[in-house]
Amino acid sequence: MEKPRQGFWGLWNISFGFFGIQIGFALQNGNMSRIFQALGTSLDDLPALWIAAPLTGLLVQPLIGHFSDRTWLGRLGRRRPYFLAGAFLAALSLFVMPLSEVLLVAAVMLWILDASLNISMEPFRAFVGDMLRKDQHTAGYAVQTAFIGAGAVVGSVFPYVLDSWGVANVAPIGHIPDTVKYSFWFGGLALFVAVLWTVLTTKEYSPAEMEMFDGPAPDSGLTMRALASRSLAGATLWIVAGGAITFLVATLGLEKEVYLLGALLAGYGIASLIAIRMAKSGRDNNILSHIVGDFSGMPDIMKKLALAQFFSWSALFIMWIYTTPVVAQYMFGSADPASEAYGDGSNWVGTLFAIYNGVAALAALLLLPKMAAKFGKVKTHIACLVAGSAGYLSFLFIRDPNLLIFSELGIGIAWASILAMPYAILASSLPPSKMGVYMGLFNVFVVIPQLLVATVMGSILKAFFPTEPIWTMAFAAVVMLCAALAMLRVKEVSD
């Protein structure tokens, strides 16, 4: 039995909540570096403060995916309880964040905000897979991407609009400008209303209906038996690798943030060691064993997509951290966060982010479905990633800020594809009963590169070009091209 085909308004309602969630992410991505610098942090300390966001996603998304696969709250459904809870907490965080006048408070609020956004966001990925037939996955994720782009445009451009209306865009060090404050408060309200729309206008399929559509869920005992058969040596190697990185940081005097990378590797090794031992002793009915087992038993196509995700999101995170200081210094002539020129540069970055997200929204609706139908999802994604690499590379040669609009065209096309194609390919290959946990685990390959950038990029910048952040864009161009090359290993999946 096939799921009913969704019309335009069905696709709209399923993903409209992502419009609000992305307003929150856009405000975070476009303004947190500015907030941190306004509260007194230096350029090379920015990556360390940004660690909170990806680390939160790494911890939250697999857990939310695991629980949402197993949730059913009657009329409220499976995924929608998480939409609602995350949206409420994220809206509250957006209201509190701009009131921060101490750097530590702002960093903690970023942690809470990102956790809340992830609680809402992760089930939305699985929600598309739950609600749509396989032959509508590309359309479903394209519409979701369009809402992501539209929400990001609104969130990115709002400080610029307020500035044009005469709202104060400059504040002394230790204070946050009014344009940022009012933008965050508007974003909190918009986020909650948009998510509430999806909650009220959609009806999820019950477990019995899902079984009719997709057949009985696969035996989870197979995963646990596979976990129990694993050698402890592999888990031990992760611990050794984490210890080796920690030793190198201490010996070579690397930035202290790199300790986190060693801790994460060792932590995964310890978690795997515990999960395997528990599975071998027959105590496998626990969250840790299920998540470690699902991670180690992920489908082959997910492993190949993971490598492309790793490189894609490394490039994106470099862009989010460093575009503001790059544009302010090279196009507006100031590296001083308290200066008017720096504020103008920051606002222009908001506009540039709005442009690439607007391009992404249009590309998702008008370009990607046609390209995917003609060339396939894999070739479409490769072409879009190459366009993104060219966009990053152009930053090295452009000094007129207006010409950066052309750079954002390539970046926007890549962004649209990154948000749609991998998920459309993956959703058609996953067991429906594990859609949530696998989408959450897939996020690991979004988060790990962000943590790597946040821990290592500061050290590279400080060591090789402490006053020349423009070279971060060269890094972004190279790693985005690596993502395109990694996609050559992925075979097309028919709907």
Side-chain angles (χ1 to χ4, degrees):
M1 184 177 178
E2 191 71 79
K3 294 173 187 173
R5 176 173 289 275
Q6 294 284 347
F8 172 79
W9 288 110
L11 296 173
W12 174 288
N13 293 336
I14 287 169
S15 290
F16 186 72
F18 230 128
F19 172 71
I21 292 171
Q22 198 59 33
I23 289 176
F25 273 118
L27 288 168
Q28 171 184 294
N29 293 337
N31 295 279
M32 286 311 303
S33 287
R34 182 180 184 182
I35 289 173
F36 287 147
Q37 288 190 285
L39 296 179
T41 194
S42 63
L43 178 65
D44 55 311
D45 286 333
L46 281 179
L49 292 169
W50 273 85
I51 284 174
L55 182 60
T56 303
L58 180 66
L59 298 174
V60 168
Q61 290 217 22
L63 288 173
I64 295 299
H66 173 85
F67 285 120
S68 69
D69 282 339
R70 291 160 172 76
T71 295
W72 183 254
L73 297 182
R75 294 181 64 182
L76 197 53
R78 177 183 298 104
R79 316 291 181 189
R80 291 179 299 162
Y82 299 92
F83 299 166
L84 203 54
F88 174 78
L89 294 173
L92 188 62
S93 300
L94 285 166
F95 275 98
V96 174
M97 172 73 78
L99 300 176
S100 305
E101 294 188 355
V102 178
L103 185 61
L104 179 61
V105 174
V108 170
M109 289 310 303
L110 173 60
W111 193 298
I112 296 171
L113 172 61
D114 205 80
S116 304
L117 291 171
N118 275 286
I119 289 171
S120 270
M121 182 186 74
E122 196 285 329
F124 263 101
R125 295 292 191 194
F127 194 49
V128 173
D130 291 343
M131 300 295 291
L132 299 180
R133 303 151 49 118
K134 288 185 178 181
D135 61 358
Q136 284 198 294
H137 282 166
T138 298
Y141 286 108
V143 170
Q144 191 173 89
T145 298
F147 277 127
I148 291 171
V153 168
V154 174
S156 297
V157 80
F158 206 71
Y160 182 84
V161 172
L162 290 177
D163 182 31
S164 69
W165 290 349
V167 178
N169 188 47
V170 178
I173 290 292
H175 297 276
I176 297 170
D178 286 345
T179 51
V180 176
K181 288 182 180 179
Y182 297 151
S183 295
F184 272 56
W185 294 339
F186 162 79
L189 178 62
L191 186 157
F192 187 76
V193 170
V195 171
L196 189 62
W197 176 283
T198 289
V199 170
L200 295 177
T201 59
T202 57
K203 180 181 181 296
E204 296 186 67
Y205 297 119
S206 69
E209 289 173 315
M210 290 295 286
E211 187 169 333
M212 284 193 302
F213 296 139
D214 303 312
D219 181 11
S220 61
L222 293 174
T223 302
M224 294 299 100
R225 287 191 288 275
L227 181 64
S229 67
R230 286 180 59 192
S231 168
L232 297 176
T236 305
L237 284 176
W238 286 105
I239 299 172
V240 171
I245 289 176
T246 302
F247 174 77
L248 289 173
V249 174
T251 304
L252 301 177
L254 300 178
E255 294 295 304
K256 61 184 179 299
E257 292 84 12
V258 186
Y259 278 118
L260 178 61
L261 189 60
L264 284 172
L265 294 178
Y268 176 69
I270 293 169
S272 297
L273 203 63
I274 294 170
I276 293 169
R277 285 188 176 276
M278 293 176 73
K280 287 181 181 293
S281 65
R283 293 178 293 127
D284 53 22
N285 191 22
N286 58 82
I287 297 171
L288 182 63
S289 293
H290 278 283
I291 291 179
V292 170
D294 287 331
F295 187 78
S296 61
M298 70 179 72
D300 183 63
I301 194 169
M302 184 171 166
K303 296 176 184 177
K304 293 176 179 178
L305 285 168
L307 184 61
Q309 288 290 87
F310 175 87
F311 289 121
S312 300
W313 285 87
S314 295
L316 291 169
F317 205 59
I318 290 170
M319 176 185 71
W320 290 329
I321 293 177
Y322 290 107
T323 300
T324 293
V326 165
V327 171
Q329 179 173 332
Y330 292 90
M331 287 74 174
F332 286 81
S334 177
D336 178 8
S339 68
E340 184 176 352
Y342 191 97
D344 291 340
S346 297
N347 281 346
W348 184 240
V349 170
T351 302
L352 292 175
F353 281 12
I355 290 169
Y356 89 71
N357 279 288
V359 170
L362 293 174
L365 291 178
L366 304 177
L367 180 65
L368 295 186
K370 292 180 180 178
M371 287 183 65
K374 185 172 183 178
F375 303 110
K377 301 184 189 75
V378 173
K379 290 180 180 177
T380 295
H381 194 41
I382 291 171
C384 293
L385 292 173
V386 171
S389 178
Y392 290 130
L393 188 63
S394 67
F395 272 74
L396 275 68
F397 308 104
I398 291 174
R399 291 298 175 267
D400 181 347
N402 294 310
L403 294 180
L404 290 177
I405 292 173
F406 296 102
S407 306
E408 299 304 318
L409 296 178
I411 294 170
I413 290 170
W415 179 230
S417 190
I418 290 167
L419 292 174
M421 289 299 112
Y423 295 97
I425 295 168
L426 188 62
S428 299
S429 308
L430 294 178
S433 62
K434 292 189 175 183
M435 187 73 70
V437 70
Y438 274 131
M439 285 294 182
L441 289 170
F442 195 51
N443 186 63
V444 169
F445 304 104
V446 170
V447 172
I448 289 295
Q450 295 182 49
L451 289 171
L452 191 63
V453 169
T455 54
V456 174
M457 200 66 198
S459 297
I460 295 173
L461 188 66
K462 189 173 183 180
F464 295 103
F465 30 83
T467 61
E468 299 291 335
I470 191 71
W471 293 106
T472 59
M473 294 301 167
F475 273 83
V478 170
V479 295
M480 187 68 88
L481 187 59
C482 289
L485 294 174
M487 282 300 297
L488 295 173
R489 300 173 61 243
V490 179
K491 292 184 178 179
E492 190 70 36
V493 177
S494 58
D495 292 329

